[in-house]
Amino acid sequence: MLLNNKISIRFYIRHILKQAFLIFLFANLVVISKWFIPWSFQIPISIAAILGTCIALLLAFRTNQAYDRWWEARIAWGAIVNDSRSFIRQLQTFLPVDTNHKTYLHPFVERQCAWCYVLGDTLRRQPVSQRLEEFLPSQEAKQVADAHNPPNMLLVKHALAIRRLYDEALITDYQLVQLNATLTNLTDSMGRCERIKNTVFPRTYTFNMQVFIYLFASILPFCFDDQYYYLDVPLVTLISAAFILIEKSAIQLQDPFENQPTDTPVTTIARSIEISLKSMTGYTIIPELLVPERYYSL
């Protein structure tokens, strides 16, 4: 996630450098041809203005739709924060006072921390084995890592452990229902993130937008008078690059789990959850908050 800090200009340039360079070359070609091949062909500037207005409206719609996907992912992870804290707090409250927390409560804390990290890594298509070994016994970590859906398997482990608490009469019927409801909320949030990850944003949006932008960039050099030829190249390049940059920003926002600076900061959120849960349950060693990069956090 981009932070409210000064963003490196390289972050912008590297995403549009290739396209801007091609437009720059094309604009130079048109200007040079005007110098050496006198012609009277000129496109009315009103055509470029109308096309530019249409592109601006389409970009606004596209960016809004992309931001909605990014914001939905952030809402889902906000719910994960709340439900993770609620889940451990419920267990902490429901278990008898004289219960050994290291035996009954801490395994839930470790498993929930692992679930948060593993969910984020799975969404980003990152390996999860090492992450699981940090929180779970080796045999359980291997079993979860080999599962088709590791985050879902961790929730299954939660449910089975809750059932054992019920069988040992450590929680009541009502408490069992409450804990299962919280697990259902975590499952819903996981499903929302998976839906965003697995639902491809319509490719026609990108294709049509790029066609319009490049059409605009190819028309614009022919709209200037010959006496203003020195304005053709910088104006065409800058205006077209601005459109391309907005379109690229929308592409990045529409995919919030790609391990990029514009991602939803799932790893940072998972670390925050780990700190909260371990602080709540009497851990002596509490991890530090992750230090963000200069202008973003992951």
Side-chain angles (χ1 to χ4, degrees), residues 189-206:
S189 297
M190 178 178 66
R192 293 175 68 183
C193 293
E194 291 174 339
R195 172 172 53 80
I196 295 171
K197 175 66 177 182
N198 297 325
T199 302
V200 179
F201 200 87
R203 296 301 181 188
T204 52
Y205 276 73
T206 300

Side-chain angles (χ1 to χ4, degrees), residues 252-269:
Q252 291 174 338
L253 285 176
Q254 75 190 24
D255 297 317
F257 304 117
E258 297 298 324
N259 206 30
Q260 297 180 358
T262 52
D263 270 14
T264 299
V266 294
T267 305
T268 301
I269 294 173

Side-chain angles (χ1 to χ4, degrees), residues 206-235:
T206 300
F207 176 77
N208 293 339
M209 188 59 60
Q210 290 177 347
V211 168
F212 284 131
I213 291 174
Y214 290 127
L215 178 61
F216 173 81
S218 63
I219 288 176
L220 193 57
F222 298 99
C223 297
F224 294 99
D225 295 331
D226 291 344
Q227 58 181 331
Y228 299 120
Y229 65 85
Y230 55 87
L231 292 176
D232 285 13
V233 175
L235 284 179

Side-chain angles (χ1 to χ4, degrees), residues 40-55:
S40 59
F41 176 71
Q42 184 174 350
I43 298 176
I45 191 66
S46 58
I47 295 179
I50 293 172
L51 183 58
T53 302
C54 294
I55 292 173

Side-chain angles (χ1 to χ4, degrees), residues 2 17 34 51-52 118 185 189 200 240 244 259:
L2 295 177
L17 182 60
K34 287 182 180 181
L51 183 58
V118 169
N185 292 338
S189 297
V200 179
S240 302
I244 293 172
N259 206 30

Side-chain angles (χ1 to χ4, degrees), residues 81-199:
V81 173
N82 296 337
D83 291 329
S84 296
R85 292 169 177 168
S86 297
F87 180 62
I88 299 303
R89 188 187 67 249
Q90 287 172 336
L91 284 166
Q92 198 172 22
T93 305
F94 293 161
L95 289 172
V97 176
D98 58 349
T99 302
N100 188 333
H101 280 191
K102 288 187 177 180
T103 302
Y104 290 98
L105 183 60
H106 284 191
F108 283 98
V109 174
E110 299 288 338
R111 198 180 299 115
Q112 184 59 29
C113 292
W115 181 82
C116 294
Y117 283 110
V118 169
L119 177 60
D121 291 339
T122 302
L123 292 170
R124 288 174 171 169
R125 303 285 194 260
Q126 301 291 314
V128 300
S129 298
Q130 183 177 356
R131 191 78 76 179
L132 288 168
E133 292 173 358
E134 294 177 9
F135 296 97
L136 304 178
S138 57
Q139 183 176 358
E140 184 178 355
K142 185 178 184 305
Q143 182 182 3
V144 173
D146 293 339
H148 173 70
N149 190 325
N152 188 60
M153 177 57 69
L154 286 169
L155 292 182
V156 172
K157 295 286 186 182
H158 268 333
L160 294 176
I162 291 172
R163 178 56 189 264
R164 287 194 292 270
L165 293 180
Y166 178 73
D167 291 339
E168 295 177 17
L170 293 174
I171 58 174
T172 65
D173 296 349
Y174 177 76
Q175 292 167 347
L176 175 66
V177 172
Q178 289 294 308
L179 290 169
N180 278 323
T182 305
L183 285 183
T184 300
N185 292 338
L186 290 170
T187 304
D188 290 342
S189 297
M190 178 178 66
R192 293 175 68 183
C193 293
E194 291 174 339
R195 172 172 53 80
I196 295 171
K197 175 66 177 182
N198 297 325
T199 302

